[in-house]
């Protein structure tokens, strides 16, 4: 089936809700995804989810998204800051990309201030915890409607 939104999460985000609640909140990734699922159902838009701790698996999944999804929402986690492979594949698939971060990466360590996702994204949302995903989802729905 083609169309819809693919939500991708990178390394360690499977730990959400279990550790570092002051930085990343108390909701698990499954809980965040459930909220996005209800938003998708209300909007009549297909949504699919993928999380991996492995750069190559993320690259494979993004390659497969070509011609199958209208928007990619991605929190590439630490890979955001240094993965040329993810930058390249996002550019190659030619699908609008929305970058998400739970935390405000620009208010943290300097090594988090660079994102290799931003140059290939239509836009990004960071610093609102789990709300960042929901705001990104609304933006994705608008992109699909236009
Ligand atoms: O703020 C974000 O969403 C980040 O993408 C999260 C990444 C971090 O490397 C980025 O700089 C910003 C880290 C994800 C790790 O998530 C954990 C969750 C719970 C416990 C430990 C790590």
């Amino acid at each position: 089936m083609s169309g819809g939104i693919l939500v991708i999460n990178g390394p360690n985000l499977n730990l959400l809700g279990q550790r570092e609640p002051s930085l990343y909140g108390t909701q698990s990734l499954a809980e965040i995804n459930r909220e996005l699922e209800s938003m998708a159902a209300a909007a009549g838009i297909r949504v699919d989810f993928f999380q991996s701790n492995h750069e190559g698996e993320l690259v494979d999944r993004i390659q497969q998204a070509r011609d199958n999804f209208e928007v990619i929402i991605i929190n590439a986690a630490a890979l955001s800051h240094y993965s040329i492979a993810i930058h390249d594949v996002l550019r190659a698939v030619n699908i609008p990309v929305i970058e998400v971060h739970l935390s405000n990466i620009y208010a943290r360590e300097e090594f988090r201030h660079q994102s290799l996702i931003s140059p290939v994204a239509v836009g990004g949302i960071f610093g609102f915890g789990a709300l960042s995903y929901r705001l990104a989802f609304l933006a994705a729905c608008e992109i699909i409607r236009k």
Side-chain angles (χ1 to χ4, degrees):
M1 197 174 32
S2 72
I5 301 168
L6 176 62
V7 182
I8 295 183
N9 282 286
N12 295 312
L13 287 164
N14 56 312
L15 298 177
L16 275 184
Q18 296 171 32
R19 307 213 183 109
E20 310 229 55
S22 55
L23 261 180
Y24 300 124
T26 54
Q27 275 185 284
S28 68
L29 191 57
E31 285 166 347
I32 291 172
N33 290 348
R34 270 198 293 277
E35 288 178 342
L36 300 184
E37 238 155 19
S38 339
M39 290 175 76
I45 287 174
R46 179 172 76 109
V47 64
D48 201 1
F49 302 96
F50 184 73
Q51 188 277 328
S52 176
N53 294 327
H54 305 280
E55 185 179 28
E57 286 184 4
L58 293 163
V59 170
D60 286 344
R61 187 68 191 91
I62 295 166
Q63 282 186 13
Q64 290 157 12
R66 191 174 188 167
D67 302 324
N68 291 315
F69 289 92
E70 293 162 280
V71 182
I72 293 175
I73 294 174
I74 183 164
N75 183 350
L79 291 168
S80 313
H81 310 303
Y82 66 88
S83 173
I84 298 171
I86 293 188
H87 170 101
D88 285 346
V89 72
L90 287 172
R91 188 182 286 280
V93 291
N94 205 22
I95 300 170
V97 171
I98 303 175
E99 179 178 9
V100 165
H101 296 285
L102 294 146
S103 61
N104 178 352
I105 55 174
Y106 301 101
R108 299 184 62 193
E109 303 95 325
E110 199 156 333
F111 62 81
R112 297 183 204 274
H113 296 183
Q114 168 176 270
S115 165
L116 299 195
I117 308 300
S118 297
V120 290
V122 290
I125 297 162
F126 55 86
F128 296 101
L131 175 61
S132 295
Y133 286 90
R134 302 202 297 279
L135 293 172
F137 202 86
L138 287 178
C141 291
E142 281 300 305
I143 290 171
I144 289 172
R145 273 193 206 104
K146 278 180 186 156

